[in-house]
């Protein structure tokens, strides 16, 4: 039984409102979350995912809800290493701890937009070219092999190359100006290092999505379920 279109639209609207509220909260009250606060946020979002699965069961059937839960658990388990990379990015660019939460939220929003585009393209390819699954499978095997036996000593160099590339093409200040993306230096407006952080977080997450999204497409070919599982 397919999900009602009204349910899908309402779900996406609610998702946007939650992310917007989270971003506004981080902007209005920049701070370093305590362990207790961070735990409560994790419990909130996990509970939100479970409630969403229950609503899918009520509005559709067990198959759709089961596909979402399987995809969500797959993405959740694969996203754990993202956290360590995000911490490295924050540390490497010396993001003030007070503004790390806001930087992370903006990075997540950028990542969701990029993932949404990637999912739509992937769904269209699967619908038109069924053999694309073999390419997805081969890529997942390649990624697993690289993670298991590859040399990870130079993984951080990619961020340095990105910084050098941006600095060649865009005027970027040496220091942060709070959480601002633009600041005034010597009478002219230029970008702050925060723009690099946003791009690094969003693009790095998209690289992780190159293996997690094909894995979820192996569970379901419904783009809505794939996106919400992310």
């Amino acid at each position: 039984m397919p999900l009602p279109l009204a349910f899908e639209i309402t779900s996406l609207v609610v998702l946007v409102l939650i992310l917007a509220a989270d971003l506004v909260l981080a902007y209005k009250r920049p701070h370093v979350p305590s362990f207790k606060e961070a735990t409560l946020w994790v419990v909130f979002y996990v509970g939100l995912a479970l409630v969403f699965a229950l609503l899918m069961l009520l509005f559709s059937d067990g198959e759709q809800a089961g596909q979402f839960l399987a995809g969500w658990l797959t993405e959740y388990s694969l996203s754990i290493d993202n956290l360590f990379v995000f911490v490295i990015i924050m540390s490497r660019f010396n993001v003030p701890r007070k503004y790390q939460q806001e930087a992370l939220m903006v990075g997540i929003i950028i990542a969701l937009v990029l993932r949404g585009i990637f999912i739509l393209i992937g769904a269209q390819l699967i619908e038109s070219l069924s053999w694309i699954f073999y390419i997805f499978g081969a890529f997942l095997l390649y990624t697993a092999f690289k993670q298991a036996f590859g040399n990870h000593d130079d993984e951080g160099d990619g961020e340095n190359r990105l910084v050098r590339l941006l600095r060649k093409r865009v005027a970027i200040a040496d220091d942060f100006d709070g959480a601002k993306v633009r600041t005034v230096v010597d009478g002219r407006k230029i970008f702050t290092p925060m723009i690099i952080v946003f791009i690094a977080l969003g693009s790095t997450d998209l690289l992780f999505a190159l293996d997690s999204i094909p894995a979820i497409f192996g569970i379901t070919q419904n783009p809505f379920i794939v996106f919400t599982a992310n």
Side-chain angles (χ1 to χ4, degrees):
M1 178 181 174
L3 286 164
L5 180 60
F7 176 82
E8 295 184 357
I9 295 175
T10 302
S11 300
L12 294 177
V13 170
V14 171
L15 174 62
V16 170
L17 291 176
I18 291 175
L19 289 175
D22 209 347
L23 180 60
V24 169
L25 183 63
Y27 178 77
K28 293 290 187 181
R29 194 168 59 92
H31 67 291
V32 180
S34 64
F35 178 79
K36 180 180 179 180
E37 181 182 351
T39 302
L40 290 175
W41 277 113
V42 171
V43 171
F44 170 75
Y45 278 110
V46 170
L48 203 61
L50 296 178
V51 170
F52 183 72
L54 179 60
L55 291 174
M56 291 184 71
L57 178 62
L58 295 176
F59 283 95
S60 180
D61 53 36
E63 181 180 0
Q64 303 276 358
Q67 289 176 354
F68 168 77
L69 282 176
W72 174 71
L73 287 172
T74 299
E75 183 62 47
Y76 206 77
S77 61
L78 291 174
S79 67
I80 294 176
D81 52 354
N82 296 33
L83 299 177
F84 295 102
V85 175
F86 291 162
V87 169
I88 292 173
I89 291 175
M90 296 286 193
S91 174
R92 176 154 301 183
F93 294 116
N94 296 317
V95 181
R97 295 192 65 189
K98 184 179 181 181
Y99 302 107
Q100 288 182 3
Q101 186 179 9
E102 182 179 345
L104 185 59
M105 279 303 305
V106 174
I108 289 174
I109 291 173
I110 294 174
L112 283 176
V113 172
L114 295 177
R115 283 184 178 230
I117 296 172
F118 184 40
I119 289 169
L120 289 176
I121 294 174
Q124 187 60 44
L125 287 174
I126 290 172
E127 184 177 346
S128 305
L129 308 169
S130 59
W131 49 264
I132 201 75
F133 264 119
Y134 295 106
I135 297 179
F136 284 169
F139 184 78
L140 288 175
L141 290 175
Y142 166 75
T143 303
F145 180 84
K146 188 176 179 181
Q147 288 293 325
F149 304 106
N151 182 6
H152 306 289
D153 293 338
D154 59 348
E155 282 186 344
D157 293 342
E159 295 166 9
N160 292 328
R161 287 195 295 270
L162 175 61
V163 172
R164 288 196 295 268
L165 178 62
L166 288 175
R167 288 194 183 279
K168 285 180 181 179
R169 298 179 179 274
V170 180
I172 299 176
D174 294 326
D175 301 314
F176 288 90
D177 184 6
K180 295 180 181 178
V181 175
R182 300 270 285 178
T183 188
V184 178
V185 177
D186 295 331
R188 66 187 185 116
K189 276 198 165 188
I190 61 175
F191 288 101
T192 71
M194 190 64 78
I195 188 67
I196 301 177
V197 177
F198 291 160
I199 294 174
L201 290 171
S203 59
T204 300
D205 184 83
L206 182 62
L207 291 177
F208 282 103
L210 292 178
D211 59 359
S212 64
I213 289 179
I216 301 177
F217 267 121
I219 299 171
T220 177
Q221 283 80 60
N222 187 326
F224 174 76
I225 295 179
V226 176
F227 181 74
T228 50
N230 275 265

